[in-house]
Amino acid sequence: MTINRRDLALSTLAVSALALTSPALAASADEEAVAKKVEAFRLAQIAADPKALGALCWDDLSYSHSSGKVEDKATFVTNATDGKSKFLSIEYQDPTIKIVGPAAIVRFHWVAEQEMAADGKKVPTNLHILMNWQKQGDDWKLLSRAATKL
């Protein structure tokens, strides 16, 4: 059996079409939706916006800091917006998103700088972050977050 260029091109086209079936498109749409939520979360952290942070999180949020301190949703939102410090910058570098059913596993390198309100001291942070987002209807909410110092 010989395969000519036309047959090869048609088989390549068929394989490409199979790769674009609805599950692949759904995963891509979910990844995009989660990426938008992650960016909205970053911007809400910089703005210290309690309403935006609250809207992005599950009521049963478990938010773990690199110090080992764990906060529930109310405590996290209160502490993130109390004005004791402000973020001058937050970068989420090299993010990855993996959709697993109704869950999304998000990892990234966190590079940030905060300014402390009490003395104006600037504090850099360099962390590895793991976030777990869960789909609630058509929306994604942050269920848990863990940080490790680098």
Side-chain angles (χ1 to χ4, degrees), residues 19-33:
L20 295 176
T21 59
S22 61
L25 290 176
S28 177
D30 281 339
E31 288 173 3
E32 186 175 316

Side-chain angles (χ1 to χ4, degrees), residues 32-46 56 90-92 97 131 133:
E32 186 175 316
V34 170
K36 287 179 182 176
K37 292 293 182 170
V38 169
E39 178 61 7
F41 191 85
R42 186 185 74 81
L43 294 173
Q45 284 181 299
I46 293 170
L56 290 163
I90 302 175
E91 291 181 54
Y92 290 0
I97 298 171
M131 289 179 150
W133 292 76

